[in-house]
Amino acid sequence: MSKKIFVSGDEAVAEAVRLAKPHVISAYPITPQTVAVERISDFVEDGTLKAEYLHVESEHSAMSAAMGAAAVGARTFTATSSQGLLYMSEVLPYVSGARFPIVMMNANRTLATPWALLSDHRDSLSQLDSGWIQVYCEDAQETLDMILQAYRISEDPRVMAPMMVNLDGFVLTHTYEMVELPAQAEVDAFLPAYTTINRMDLDDPKTVCYAAMNDYMEFHMKQELDMRKVPSVIEEVDRLYGDKFGRYYDGMVEQYLCDDAEVVLVTLGSVTGTARVVVDAMRKEGHKVGLVKLRYMRPFPREEILDIASRVRAIGVLDKDISVGYEGIVFTNVNSTVADLETSPGRINFIGGLGGRNISKENTRGMFNELLELARGEKKEKIQFVNARCEYHG
Amino acid sequence: MPRPEIIKWLRTQFFPHMWCPGCGHGIILHALLRALTDLEKKPEETVIASGIGCSSRMPGYINACTVHSTHGRSLAFATGIKLAKPELTVIDVMGDGDCSAIGGNHFIHACRRNIDITAIVMNNNIYGMTGGQASPTTPEGARATTAPYGVIDPSFDLCKLAEGAGATFVARSVVSNPKQCEKYIVDGIKHKGFSVVEIISTCHTQFGRRNKFRSPIDNINRVKDLSVSQAKAKDMTPEELKGKYVTGLFVNVEAPEYTDQYFSLVDKVKGE
C-alpha cells in the first residue's frame, strides 16, 4: 500500500531512489542537492537500501564512477547542481555516447559569477546538447514519480540514454509537501531489475568507449534516430505509471486550459504552479489564457508545440535563463519549431527568475496581459525582462 | 577588539560575516591580518585567492585584491596571478575539502612547482557550508551526514602530502594557539617558495554537533587537547599519535622558485 509522507523535494528524491534500488550511488556535496544524497547515504548505512555509496572527491569523479558502474551493468544514481553539473559536463557525452542509462537528479541553481545560491535553469540548459534526456518537475510528488519513471524510460532497450531529472533548488529541494510514496512491491512490478547486453562481461569481453574514428558520424546518427523515438516511450511509460499509481503527467507537455486559448505561456519547472493559479484567476475574468507546461527539453516536444502554436494567436515563453548575446534558450527551441508553420503566432520571450529573482502572480499576470495585447495587434518588445530592477529596451 | 591597523584591512561594510558565531575561521582571519600588518604589507600589493566553502568566504571580508574562484581551483587562479605579477604577495586560503578533495590535483602540483604562494589550509575536518559531509580529513570513526555511523576512509595528513609533493615550507598549527598561527603565516609569507600552513580549525555546527562537541568552546578544547608539539611527538609511539594533530614547522628549505626559474628561462631563450 502506498502512504502519505511529509517531505522536502530532496527527501522525495531519496525515497524514490530507495524504491528504485540502484546498485551504486556516487555523489559529491553541493547546495542545494545535499539533503538528497545525505538521506540516500542514511539508507545505505542502515541497510534499507542495499547499494554501494561512493564518497568521491569531485563531481567529475561522481559521474565517472557512475559510468564505471553502469559499464558493468549496474543501475546507478548520482545527483548534483549548478557548478557541479558544469564540472561533470566532460563526462556527460561520454555516458550518453556509451548509451548508459544513468539517472541523475539536478537541483537547478544558477551559475557563477557573481555567486548566487538560488534557482534558475542556466545550469541544466547549458547541457542540452549532451545527449541526456531532460525532464523538469513542478513539485516534489512529480520529482519522486519522475525518478522512478526515469529508470524505466532510460533503461528501455529502445532508449538506452541517460536521464537528468531537474527540480528547482530551494523552491522544491527545501520546501516540504505531502507526497504519496508508492509501496515497494508496486514499484518492483513497475520497474523490473535492470538487465542489459551493453556491459562489460568476462564471458564475452568487449570494450566500452572505443575510438570510433570513421564510424563516429554513424554512431551519433543512430543516437539521434533512437532519441526521436523516445517521446513515444515517454508517453507509454506515463500511461503505465498513471494506470498503476494514479498520477498522469501528460507525457512530453501538459496543456492546461489550452483548447480554446487565444494566448498561452510556456513554463518550465516550479513556476508552473504560480502560472496555473494566474490562469485560473484570469479565466474567471473571461480571458482566454492557457498554460503550456514544457516537461521535457530533450527530446524536444516538437509535435505538441506545433499543434499548440497552430491554434493560438500569441505564445509567451518564460525563460529562467539567458543565452547572453541572443535570447532565452527555451525561446530559441520553441521558435525553431514554430518556424515550420506557414503562419506563426506572435511571440514574446519573458526572461525572469535569474539568480532566483521572484516571479510573482502579478508578474505572471503582466506577462499574460502583454500576450493578450499582442494578440489584439499591439506592438510589443520581443524580449522582455520580468521583475528587473533596472530599465531595458532591446 | 582588533587593533585599528587591522580594522583597516577589513571590509566592515560586509559585516556581520556569514560564519556561525564561534567558528574557528575568525581566529585564522585575525591571525592572517596580524601577519600582514606585522610584515607591513600593503593591500594594493596583496592578493588573496579562495575557492568554495566557508573558508573561501574569507577574502570577501579582506580589503585587498581578492578573488573568490571555483571549487578547488583557487591555486590555479593564484598561480596565474603570481606568474603575471611576481612582485605581488599572493596568499591562497582553502578549506580541507577544497584543498584535498576536489582541488587535490592543483595542490600537489603547486607544491611540486615551488611557486611563491602561501597556502593557508583551514582544516575543520568537514564540509561545513554544504551541511556536514565527510571530507578527506574527517578523522576515522567521526560522524558526518554522509557517514552517519562513522567514517571508514583513512584521512589525509595534509602536511605529509605537501612535503611529499615538494613544498619547501610546511607547518601546522591549531586555532587554540593563535600566536603560533600568526607566526607560521608570517614565516610562510616571508619564505620564498610554496608555503603550506595548515591550521586545524573548528566547526561546532557541522562537525562538533555530530561528534559530541556541541559548543564552540568544546571544539576549541578538542583541537587543543588533540594537538601535540613536534618535540613531544618525537617520543610518542604511532599508537599514541593516532588521531593527534602534530603541530610545528616540518619543512623549511631553500629551493629554486618557479617564477624566478620561468623568467630566467625567458631571458635565456631571448638570448639576454
Side-chain angles (χ1 to χ4, degrees):
Chain A
M1 275 292 285
S2 66
K3 61 175 181 181
K4 293 266 187 188
I5 52 172
F6 187 57
V7 288
S8 68
D10 269 345
E11 289 168 346
V13 168
E15 291 291 341
V17 170
R18 179 177 63 75
L19 291 168
K21 297 182 182 167
H23 303 98
V24 177
I25 298 109
S26 60
Y28 187 79
I30 181 166
T31 304
Q33 149 265 37
T34 40
V35 176
V37 295
E38 283 168 17
R39 291 295 175 275
I40 294 169
S41 121
D42 285 343
F43 292 144
V44 173
E45 296 248 4
D46 68 18
T48 318
L49 171 61
K50 292 193 177 24
E52 297 289 332
Y53 185 103
L54 306 173
H55 300 273
V56 289
E57 71 287 348
S58 73
E59 288 87 358
H60 196 280
S61 308
M63 186 52 76
S64 301
M67 178 161 171
V72 293
R75 179 175 285 169
T76 55
F77 179 78
T78 186
T80 192
S81 177
S82 183
Q83 304 299 127
L85 182 68
L86 262 58
Y87 190 29
M88 270 182 186
S89 69
E90 184 191 0
V91 197
L92 299 185
Y94 260 79
V95 170
S96 60
R99 310 295 297 266
F100 292 138
I102 293 172
V103 172
M104 161 161 67
M105 157 209 166
N106 180 55
N108 284 117
R109 174 185 143 184
T110 195
L111 301 177
T113 62
W115 284 99
L117 283 174
L118 299 183
S119 178
D120 65 32
H121 296 143
R122 294 187 63 207
D123 55 355
S124 52
L125 291 176
S126 76
Q127 303 301 316
L128 272 186
D129 303 337
S130 64
W132 282 58
I133 301 170
Q134 282 198 6
V135 67
Y136 291 79
C137 302
E138 185 179 345
D139 54 30
Q141 180 72 66
E142 185 177 5
T143 311
L144 181 145
D145 294 336
M146 289 320 299
I147 294 278
L148 295 175
Q149 288 194 29
Y151 281 105
R152 175 87 197 212
I153 294 164
S154 57
E155 290 171 3
D156 190 303
R158 292 167 291 177
V159 177
M160 293 305 285
M163 184 153 160
M164 188 189 299
V165 179
N166 291 284
L167 69 160
D168 287 328
F170 295 103
V171 178
L172 295 185
T173 58
H174 282 59
T175 45
Y176 279 70
E177 62 180 88
M178 291 301 290
V179 166
E180 194 168 304
L181 182 71
Q184 185 69 62
E186 288 178 76
V187 173
D188 290 346
F190 168 77
L191 186 64
Y194 172 50
T195 55
T196 180
I197 55 160
N198 183 28
R199 67 184 177 97
M200 291 192 273
D201 184 351
L202 291 177
D203 297 327
D204 178 20
K206 59 170 95 72
T207 302
V208 295
C209 305
Y210 69 104
M213 306 301 177
N214 283 338
D215 301 326
Y216 185 90
M217 181 149 173
E218 289 71 24
F219 210 96
H220 284 293
M221 281 176 67
K222 169 81 172 117
Q223 188 182 11
E224 166 60 19
L225 294 174
D226 285 352
M227 192 59 100
R228 288 185 195 172
K229 296 178 209 148
V230 172
S232 65
V233 178
I234 287 169
E235 304 283 348
E236 188 184 303
V237 171
D238 186 57
R239 277 195 301 276
L240 193 69
Y241 194 89
D243 292 348
K244 199 156 194 67
F245 300 104
R247 287 180 297 280
Y248 299 88
Y249 291 101
D250 298 350
M252 300 291 288
V253 167
E254 183 199 334
Q255 299 186 36
Y256 185 65
L257 304 180
C258 289
D259 284 350
D260 62 339
E262 281 179 10
V263 306
V264 291
L265 184 66
V266 179
T267 58
L268 207 62
S270 64
V271 75
T272 307
T274 312
R276 218 179 268 280
V277 175
V278 173
V279 166
D280 286 343
M282 292 185 76
R283 278 275 171 176
K284 275 187 194 150
E285 295 160 18
H287 301 293
K288 288 192 170 171
V289 294
L291 173 64
V292 177
K293 174 183 166 186
L294 199 54
R295 300 188 64 240
Y296 285 83
M297 275 300 290
R298 285 294 178 274
F300 192 75
R302 187 187 288 272
E303 297 303 318
E304 291 82 351
I305 295 295
L306 267 180
D307 172 51
I308 296 161
S310 68
R311 289 186 273 123
V312 300
R313 302 185 66 183
I315 297 184
V317 176
L318 175 52
D319 265 288
K320 286 169 69 173
D321 65 88
I322 184 163
S323 175
V324 176
Y326 197 34
E327 59 191 13
I329 295 165
V330 185
F331 190 60
T332 304
N333 280 264
V334 170
N335 259 341
S336 78
T337 295
V338 173
D340 288 351
L341 290 172
E342 266 178 38
T343 51
S344 52
R347 295 183 298 285
I348 301 176
N349 188 193
F350 300 105
I351 292 177
L354 299 182
R357 176 65 53 83
N358 190 38
I359 299 170
S360 66
K361 285 193 277 188
E362 291 68 31
N363 299 145
T364 312
R365 181 180 276 271
M367 290 182 244
F368 277 116
N369 286 337
E370 286 289 288
L371 291 168
L372 287 166
E373 286 168 14
L374 179 70
R376 283 200 295 269
E378 288 184 34
K379 205 166 160 47
K380 292 290 167 191
E381 282 192 21
K382 190 173 161 191
I383 299 174
Q384 303 185 10
F385 285 87
V386 175
N387 195 16
R389 290 186 191 148
C390 57
E391 288 295 311
Y392 168 85
H393 296 287
Chain B
M1 192 64 188
R3 303 195 301 264
E5 63 268 32
I6 284 173
I7 301 276
K8 269 196 239 165
W9 278 89
L10 287 171
R11 290 177 178 144
T12 49
Q13 68 270 33
F14 295 137
F15 279 48
H17 56 70
M18 53 72 68
W19 294 319
C20 307
C23 173
H25 288 1
I27 297 171
I28 303 172
L29 171 60
H30 197 183
L32 170 61
L33 297 185
R34 287 198 307 275
L36 291 169
T37 313
D38 296 348
L39 292 167
E40 297 179 346
K41 294 286 177 189
K42 292 179 184 152
E44 62 272 24
E45 294 166 2
T46 307
V47 174
I48 304 174
S50 70
I52 294 296
C54 292
S55 61
S56 302
R57 297 297 283 265
M58 184 182 279
Y61 303 122
I62 303 177
N63 196 14
C65 312
T66 63
V67 55
H68 185 190
S69 75
T70 48
H71 198 15
R73 320 291 153 197
S74 55
L75 279 169
F77 280 76
T79 301
I81 291 162
K82 187 70 188 178
L83 271 169
K85 279 194 179 288
E87 65 275 20
L88 295 175
T89 299
V90 180
I91 295 160
D92 193 310
V93 292
M94 296 179 278
D96 42 310
D98 210 30
C99 162
S100 64
I102 198 164
N105 207 18
H106 298 287
F107 183 67
I108 56 174
H109 290 285
C111 292
R112 176 173 72 91
R113 286 191 196 105
N114 195 35
I115 188 163
D116 187 21
I117 293 169
T118 304
I120 300 173
V121 187
M122 303 154 74
N123 178 3
N124 59 8
N125 305 121
I126 201 83
Y127 285 94
M129 184 174 273
T130 48
Q133 297 79 21
S135 85
T137 65
T138 306
E140 278 183 76
R143 286 165 192 255
T145 50
T146 47
Y149 300 101
V151 168
I152 56 168
D153 311 35
S155 59
F156 260 136
D157 181 326
L158 295 179
C159 287
K160 283 186 181 161
L161 178 67
E163 184 180 349
T168 49
F169 182 100
V170 181
R172 183 190 285 124
S173 187
V174 287
V175 288
S176 56
N177 192 348
K179 289 298 285 182
Q180 192 188 43
C181 296
E182 177 186 340
K183 181 181 165 22
Y184 287 155
I185 297 172
V186 166
D187 293 346
I189 294 172
K190 282 201 300 204
H191 175 78
K192 195 165 171 64
F194 192 67
S195 307
V196 177
V197 181
E198 180 189 1
I199 300 177
I200 307 300
S201 188
T202 57
C203 177
H204 60 284
T205 308
Q206 300 295 3
F207 180 83
R209 186 157 58 103
R210 294 186 178 85
N211 290 286
K212 297 182 182 163
F213 296 92
R214 297 193 75 85
S215 73
I217 295 299
D218 291 343
N219 283 272
I220 289 176
N221 283 334
R222 174 185 166 270
V223 300
K224 188 179 173 188
D225 294 345
L226 289 175
S227 71
V228 177
S229 72
Q230 200 182 1
K232 246 190 205 166
K234 274 190 185 136
D235 301 325
M236 291 167 72
T237 64
E239 289 72 36
E240 287 170 325
L241 283 172
K242 203 166 164 48
K244 296 284 195 294
Y245 300 116
V246 180
T247 60
L249 175 60
F250 306 112
V251 180
N252 188 8
V253 294
E254 296 296 319
E257 193 274 329
Y258 189 74
T259 55
D260 282 353
Q261 297 272 88
Y262 180 81
F263 288 105
S264 65
L265 179 68
V266 171
D267 288 345
K268 203 170 108 187
V269 173
K270 281 182 175 169
E272 286 169 13

